[in-house]
Amino acid sequence: MNVLILGSGGREHPFAWKIAQSKQLQNLYIAPGNAGTAHCGTNVPVAVDDFEGIKNLVWEKDINLVLVGPEDPLVKGVHDYFLNDEVLKDVPVIGPKKDGAQLEGSKDFSKQFMFKHGVPTARYATFTKENVNEGLVFLDTLKPPYVLKADGLAAGKGVLILDSLDEAKKELKSMLLDSKFGSASSKVVIEEFLKGIELSVFVLTDGKSYKILPAAKDYKRIGEGDTGLNTGGMGAVSPVPFADDAFIRKVEEKIVKPTISGLNKDGIDYRGFIFIGLMNCSGEPYVIEYNCRMGDPETEVVIPRIESDLLDLLNGVATQSLDKRNFDVKKETATTVVLVSGGYPGTFEKGKEVTNFDSSKESIVFHSGTKQEQEKVLTSGGRVFAVTSFGNSIEEAVRKSFVTAEKIQYQGKYYRKDIGRDLL
Ligand code: AMP
Ligand code: GLY
């Protein structure tokens, strides 16, 4: 088979790395890819939302399956574009159509979906500029902290958690009346604050059956001890010690099954990954959010733990025969430590030369924001690498990641040295 992966980040490299190991693979292309994916297949300079460029690529390279990494092309309808095109309509796309992608593309849609299908989640209400005053009154009925969410995609920045009622009211007005997050905040979801520990569960579905992939915990803040600004993710651990078999069974019964059957009842033919952000509230799972894709850096620990052939599983999704595919998971713990550019998540410089990233025997060095320029590899984003290692414990795995992280050289390198520590 010839496979095309869309994306260029720390999520797409492990996809490419894993698919490159498949016996079913002939040629692998990544659009646009990064300096790491170039070692798993061929990078092609086509943007993830350049649908016409993607069409030409699929035609030229005789692609048999497309795996979509990021949410943006899914929410913009890349899968629908394929289905509506004479040339592309029989090429399977892994990733939901526009309707299913709304689970991530609209917080209001996903909350309505959860309430309709009995999926446990925080109580909420949605407001627009027409009823902003009702929103202010609703805030009065809640206890702090206050959770305000821009309805649409806001590059991971659309959620505000505020301790003061005055601040929450001010922000609600700024989101609705002053378009704080552009059109993404023309609707705002206000919801109850859930107290607990966060983790993520990933599901791969062909619309009928599903496989629950390994769970992961990520580290969102830039600073050690979970302090400072939010980032895309500074590290991840899988499995999650507090998500034992009994907890995952609860997640399956209370969340995964009603989600899959809810999609069916609503006529949404969903084929792809569902990333379920959860809060473990005294042993009970509640959904914080759905994403219509895998997570980054969670993919960097989840995919390496899958022992089975990922391309075989994706073929199962494409042909709705996922239930017949082999699915085994490694028992060992995987950890990943993310190396970022100095200044991230604020302003940072790109184009720094990277050395010593390809000699590690103990870790897999996944590339996130890198690019090849002639002989050199340069930084090209905030998150530069995700260093994944295995061990019989979190301690053992993360120690290896730190040894490798220390060796990698570029100006301004920073990483958190406490990944996994809270779980020991
Ligand atoms: P989201 O983009 O919906 O994942 O929200 C970003 C982050 O805000 C989550 O990862 C949580 O840490 C936090 N968060 C979102 N909703 C809630 C909630 N209802 N209660 C507590 N924390 C929340
Ligand atoms: N690590 C969080 C995300 O991918 O959205």
Side-chain angles (χ1 to χ4, degrees):
M1 295 184 71
N2 297 327
V3 175
L4 170 64
I5 300 175
L6 299 183
S8 62
R11 164 183 43 219
E12 287 74 25
H13 190 189
F15 276 153
W17 169 85
K18 182 73 179 163
I19 289 173
Q21 298 167 32
S22 171
K23 288 198 182 66
Q24 298 176 21
L25 181 75
Q26 222 170 350
N27 295 302
L28 177 62
Y29 300 91
I30 308 96
N34 61 37
T37 62
H39 291 280
C40 311
T42 308
N43 286 346
V44 190
V46 171
V48 295
D49 56 359
D50 174 5
F51 294 177
E52 226 174 277
I54 294 167
K55 174 177 172 170
N56 292 333
L57 186 57
V58 168
W59 176 247
E60 242 170 61
K61 305 294 184 193
D62 193 19
I63 299 294
N64 312 108
L65 183 136
V66 179
L67 169 58
V68 185
E71 64 279 15
D72 201 47
L74 293 168
V75 173
K76 287 183 177 152
V78 69
H79 194 156
D80 312 67
Y81 178 84
F82 269 64
L83 290 174
N84 292 325
D85 186 285
E86 268 315 302
V87 176
L88 301 177
K89 68 178 183 343
D90 296 321
V91 180
V93 175
I94 308 301
K97 290 177 281 165
K98 242 179 174 170
D99 56 1
Q102 285 298 89
L103 281 186
E104 173 164 6
S106 165
K107 302 267 187 209
D108 179 48
F109 174 90
S110 76
K111 294 297 284 191
Q112 285 188 39
F113 177 88
M114 288 184 251
F115 272 85
K116 185 169 168 193
H117 300 294
V119 175
T121 187
R123 207 162 60 86
Y124 82 108
T126 302
F127 301 94
T128 62
K129 69 172 187 296
E130 280 71 38
N131 62 354
V132 59
N133 287 330
E134 289 166 42
L136 300 173
V137 173
F138 183 69
L139 280 171
D140 283 324
T141 69
L142 299 176
K143 287 196 215 77
Y146 304 92
V147 183
L148 269 50
K149 299 185 173 185
D151 176 59
L153 293 182
K157 295 187 168 66
V159 175
L160 301 178
I161 298 185
L162 305 153
D163 287 320
S164 115
L165 182 60
D166 284 346
E167 192 72 10
K169 289 185 171 176
K170 208 175 96 207
E171 290 292 353
L172 179 67
K173 284 193 266 188
S174 145
M175 285 167 96
L176 289 175
L177 305 178
D178 309 329
S179 307
K180 178 170 177 141
F181 298 107
S183 61
S185 66
S186 60
K187 273 189 200 172
V188 173
V189 167
I190 302 179
E191 66 179 43
E192 244 172 14
F193 183 81
L194 295 170
K195 224 173 149 195
I197 326 178
E198 264 185 91
L199 74 152
S200 301
V201 168
F202 303 89
V203 176
L204 179 63
T205 180
D206 62 5
K208 293 196 299 197
S209 62
Y210 59 82
K211 306 278 188 206
I212 299 184
L213 311 182
K217 179 181 190 298
D218 81 336
Y219 292 80
K220 289 199 169 69
R221 303 295 189 94
I222 189 71
E224 284 167 23
D226 277 320
T227 53
L229 293 174
N230 252 322
T231 70
M234 296 297 291
V237 173
S238 176
V240 184
F242 61 81
D244 56 10
D245 289 348
F247 182 77
I248 296 295
R249 269 198 301 277
K250 261 189 206 170
V251 172
E252 178 165 18
E253 290 306 319
K254 296 187 173 184
I255 293 165
V256 177
K257 285 185 180 170
T259 298
I260 302 294
S261 75
L263 288 166
N264 269 298
K265 281 180 198 152
D266 291 352
I268 297 173
D269 177 17
Y270 194 111
R271 303 191 193 190
F273 294 96
I274 309 176
F275 164 157
I276 309 176
L278 293 174
M279 193 69 89
N280 176 342
C281 303
S282 318
E284 287 303 315
Y286 287 82
V287 175
I288 296 174
E289 63 163 351
Y290 290 114
N291 294 308
C292 61
R293 51 166 174 92
M294 285 294 292
D296 177 12
E298 292 90 339
T299 309
E300 289 94 307
V301 289
V302 172
I303 292 296
R305 286 194 63 222
I306 297 177
E307 236 156 21
S308 312
D309 182 339
L310 179 62
L311 186 49
D312 184 56
L313 287 161
L314 299 181
N315 268 318
V317 172
T319 55
Q320 287 202 310
S321 58
L322 186 59
D323 55 337
K324 297 188 181 66
R325 309 291 166 144
N326 218 25
F327 178 64
D328 296 311
V329 171
K330 283 192 175 82
K331 290 272 173 298
E332 287 169 282
T333 292
T335 60
T336 201
V337 172
V338 175
L339 278 58
V340 303
S341 298
Y344 173 82
T347 50
F348 56 87
E349 289 176 21
K350 299 179 188 177
K352 306 290 179 195
E353 185 177 357
V354 187
T355 55
N356 262 351
F357 57 86
D358 52 5
S359 60
S360 173
K361 287 187 189 61
E362 346 208 54
S363 312
I364 316 164
V365 177
F366 289 122
H367 292 231
S368 195
T370 65
K371 68 171 182 193
Q372 188 85 39
E373 226 168 73
Q374 278 114 32
E375 305 295 272
K376 292 180 179 171
V377 171
L378 306 179
T379 64
S380 66
R383 291 188 289 172
V384 182
F385 293 104
V387 178
T388 297
S389 313
F390 278 104
N392 290 316
S393 63
I394 293 174
E395 246 170 330
E396 187 189 333
V398 85
R399 202 182 316 123
K400 291 181 192 168
S401 288
F402 290 143
V403 169
T404 305
E406 202 43 50
K407 285 183 192 152
I408 296 173
Q409 298 293 331
Y410 59 89
Q411 197 193 327
K413 175 181 79 176
Y414 168 78
Y415 59 95
R416 271 178 65 170
K417 297 183 180 62
D418 66 340
I419 302 302
R421 194 184 290 161
D422 57 320
L423 300 171
L424 296 179

Tab-separated table of all heavy atoms in Angstrom, residues 107 122 147 149 156 159 161 191-195 198 220 230 279 288-289, ligand 1:
chain	number	residue	atom	x	y	z
A	107	LYS	N	-17.428	23.429	20.882
A	107	LYS	CA	-17.612	22.977	22.279
A	107	LYS	C	-19.101	22.848	22.589
A	107	LYS	O	-19.502	21.952	23.335
A	107	LYS	CB	-16.995	23.979	23.261
A	107	LYS	CG	-15.518	24.238	23.045
A	107	LYS	CD	-14.664	23.332	23.897
A	107	LYS	CE	-13.196	23.724	23.811
A	107	LYS	NZ	-12.276	22.600	24.015
A	122	ALA	N	-19.385	18.041	32.765
A	122	ALA	CA	-19.782	19.134	33.660
A	122	ALA	C	-21.052	19.820	33.137
A	122	ALA	O	-21.251	19.952	31.933
A	122	ALA	CB	-18.647	20.148	33.747
A	147	VAL	N	-15.263	28.465	34.521
A	147	VAL	CA	-14.670	27.911	33.300
A	147	VAL	C	-15.406	28.479	32.089
A	147	VAL	O	-16.609	28.259	31.921
A	147	VAL	CB	-14.770	26.363	33.285
A	147	VAL	CG1	-14.093	25.794	32.039
A	147	VAL	CG2	-14.172	25.769	34.555
A	149	LYS	N	-15.343	28.793	27.867
A	149	LYS	CA	-14.726	28.176	26.684
A	149	LYS	C	-15.257	28.792	25.405
A	149	LYS	O	-16.473	28.790	25.171
A	149	LYS	CB	-15.034	26.671	26.659
A	149	LYS	CG	-14.490	25.920	27.848
A	149	LYS	CD	-14.712	24.419	27.732
A	149	LYS	CE	-13.994	23.708	28.867
A	149	LYS	NZ	-14.075	22.247	28.748
A	156	GLY	N	-5.908	26.108	20.939
A	156	GLY	CA	-5.643	25.631	22.296
A	156	GLY	C	-5.679	26.720	23.366
A	156	GLY	O	-5.358	26.476	24.519
A	159	VAL	N	-9.754	28.361	26.309
A	159	VAL	CA	-10.355	28.026	27.600
A	159	VAL	C	-9.767	28.920	28.695
A	159	VAL	O	-8.551	28.999	28.850
A	159	VAL	CB	-10.125	26.542	27.952
A	159	VAL	CG1	-10.639	26.223	29.344
A	159	VAL	CG2	-10.791	25.645	26.920
A	161	ILE	N	-9.864	29.795	32.855
A	161	ILE	CA	-10.305	29.348	34.183
A	161	ILE	C	-9.986	30.470	35.158
A	161	ILE	O	-8.819	30.851	35.305
A	161	ILE	CB	-9.633	28.017	34.558
A	161	ILE	CG1	-10.084	26.981	33.515
A	161	ILE	CG2	-10.006	27.581	35.972
A	161	ILE	CD1	-9.647	25.581	33.727
A	191	GLU	N	-19.060	26.463	31.984
A	191	GLU	CA	-19.355	25.188	32.644
A	191	GLU	C	-18.822	25.114	34.056
A	191	GLU	O	-17.969	25.901	34.470
A	191	GLU	CB	-18.890	24.001	31.788
A	191	GLU	CG	-17.408	23.887	31.601
A	191	GLU	CD	-17.039	22.670	30.753
A	191	GLU	OE1	-17.691	22.409	29.733
A	191	GLU	OE2	-16.072	21.987	31.125
A	192	GLU	N	-19.373	24.145	34.769
A	192	GLU	CA	-18.949	23.903	36.139
A	192	GLU	C	-17.512	23.417	36.167
A	192	GLU	O	-17.096	22.659	35.290
A	192	GLU	CB	-19.824	22.789	36.718
A	192	GLU	CG	-20.680	23.208	37.848
A	192	GLU	CD	-21.657	22.096	38.217
A	192	GLU	OE1	-21.493	20.946	37.775
A	192	GLU	OE2	-22.591	22.407	38.942
A	193	PHE	N	-16.783	23.799	37.170
A	193	PHE	CA	-15.401	23.360	37.342
A	193	PHE	C	-15.393	21.942	37.913
A	193	PHE	O	-16.092	21.641	38.877
A	193	PHE	CB	-14.674	24.317	38.285
A	193	PHE	CG	-13.218	23.991	38.462
A	193	PHE	CD1	-12.291	24.393	37.514
A	193	PHE	CD2	-12.779	23.278	39.570
A	193	PHE	CE1	-10.942	24.094	37.668
A	193	PHE	CE2	-11.429	22.973	39.733
A	193	PHE	CZ	-10.511	23.387	38.781
A	194	LEU	N	-14.618	21.073	37.294
A	194	LEU	CA	-14.491	19.697	37.785
A	194	LEU	C	-13.177	19.565	38.538
A	194	LEU	O	-12.127	19.954	38.020
A	194	LEU	CB	-14.476	18.716	36.609
A	194	LEU	CG	-15.739	18.615	35.774
A	194	LEU	CD1	-15.464	17.794	34.517
A	194	LEU	CD2	-16.863	17.972	36.586
A	195	LYS	N	-13.264	18.997	39.741
A	195	LYS	CA	-12.062	18.839	40.553
A	195	LYS	C	-11.594	17.396	40.451
A	195	LYS	O	-12.377	16.478	40.664
A	195	LYS	CB	-12.406	19.169	42.008
A	195	LYS	CG	-11.372	20.028	42.635
A	195	LYS	CD	-11.758	20.509	43.996
A	195	LYS	CE	-10.434	20.634	44.741
A	195	LYS	NZ	-10.521	20.742	46.116
A	198	GLU	N	-6.456	14.859	35.757
A	198	GLU	CA	-6.742	14.718	34.331
A	198	GLU	C	-5.960	13.592	33.692
A	198	GLU	O	-4.824	13.314	34.077
A	198	GLU	CB	-6.309	16.007	33.624
A	198	GLU	CG	-7.419	16.976	33.425
A	198	GLU	CD	-6.966	18.181	32.621
A	198	GLU	OE1	-7.073	18.177	31.389
A	198	GLU	OE2	-6.522	19.137	33.279
A	220	LYS	N	0.914	20.041	30.846
A	220	LYS	CA	0.554	21.166	29.982
A	220	LYS	C	1.343	22.441	30.235
A	220	LYS	O	1.575	23.219	29.324
A	220	LYS	CB	-0.938	21.476	30.142
A	220	LYS	CG	-1.833	20.410	29.536
A	220	LYS	CD	-3.239	20.924	29.298
A	220	LYS	CE	-4.047	19.948	28.451
A	220	LYS	NZ	-4.366	18.696	29.135
A	230	ASN	N	0.321	27.855	29.829
A	230	ASN	CA	-0.066	26.625	29.145
A	230	ASN	C	0.718	26.469	27.846
A	230	ASN	O	1.006	27.441	27.171
A	230	ASN	CB	-1.555	26.694	28.794
A	230	ASN	CG	-2.351	25.766	29.669
A	230	ASN	OD1	-1.911	24.659	30.004
A	230	ASN	ND2	-3.531	26.196	30.044
A	279	MET	N	-11.563	13.903	33.314
A	279	MET	CA	-11.210	14.232	34.687
A	279	MET	C	-11.622	13.021	35.522
A	279	MET	O	-12.757	12.548	35.423
A	279	MET	CB	-11.967	15.485	35.135
A	279	MET	CG	-11.448	16.093	36.408
A	279	MET	SD	-9.813	16.838	36.213
A	279	MET	CE	-10.218	18.494	35.709
A	288	ILE	N	-13.984	16.129	29.775
A	288	ILE	CA	-13.694	17.563	29.674
A	288	ILE	C	-13.849	18.000	28.230
A	288	ILE	O	-14.378	19.050	27.930
A	288	ILE	CB	-12.260	17.865	30.144
A	288	ILE	CG1	-12.108	17.527	31.619
A	288	ILE	CG2	-11.917	19.319	29.900
A	288	ILE	CD1	-10.688	17.676	32.096
A	289	GLU	N	-13.323	17.181	27.334
A	289	GLU	CA	-13.422	17.535	25.915
A	289	GLU	C	-13.184	16.314	25.054
A	289	GLU	O	-12.567	15.341	25.484
A	289	GLU	CB	-12.376	18.598	25.557
A	289	GLU	CG	-10.965	18.102	25.752
A	289	GLU	CD	-9.889	18.927	25.048
A	289	GLU	OE1	-10.231	19.802	24.251
A	289	GLU	OE2	-8.713	18.659	25.304
B	1	AMP	P1	-10.026	22.020	26.922
B	1	AMP	O1	-9.431	22.842	25.801
B	1	AMP	O2	-11.487	21.913	26.905
B	1	AMP	O3	-9.286	20.712	27.080
B	1	AMP	O4	-9.624	22.785	28.259
B	1	AMP	C1	-8.282	23.084	28.559
B	1	AMP	C2	-7.970	22.699	29.969
B	1	AMP	O5	-8.797	23.413	30.870
B	1	AMP	C3	-8.231	21.237	30.279
B	1	AMP	O6	-7.178	20.430	29.907
B	1	AMP	C4	-8.447	21.290	31.770
B	1	AMP	O7	-7.218	21.328	32.449
B	1	AMP	C5	-9.135	22.599	31.973
B	1	AMP	N1	-10.593	22.429	32.036
B	1	AMP	C6	-11.453	22.490	31.002
B	1	AMP	N2	-12.726	22.309	31.422
B	1	AMP	C7	-12.673	22.132	32.760
B	1	AMP	C8	-13.653	21.906	33.769
B	1	AMP	N3	-14.953	21.845	33.496
B	1	AMP	N4	-13.217	21.752	35.029
B	1	AMP	C9	-11.906	21.837	35.331
B	1	AMP	N5	-10.939	22.062	34.429
B	1	AMP	C10	-11.302	22.209	33.153
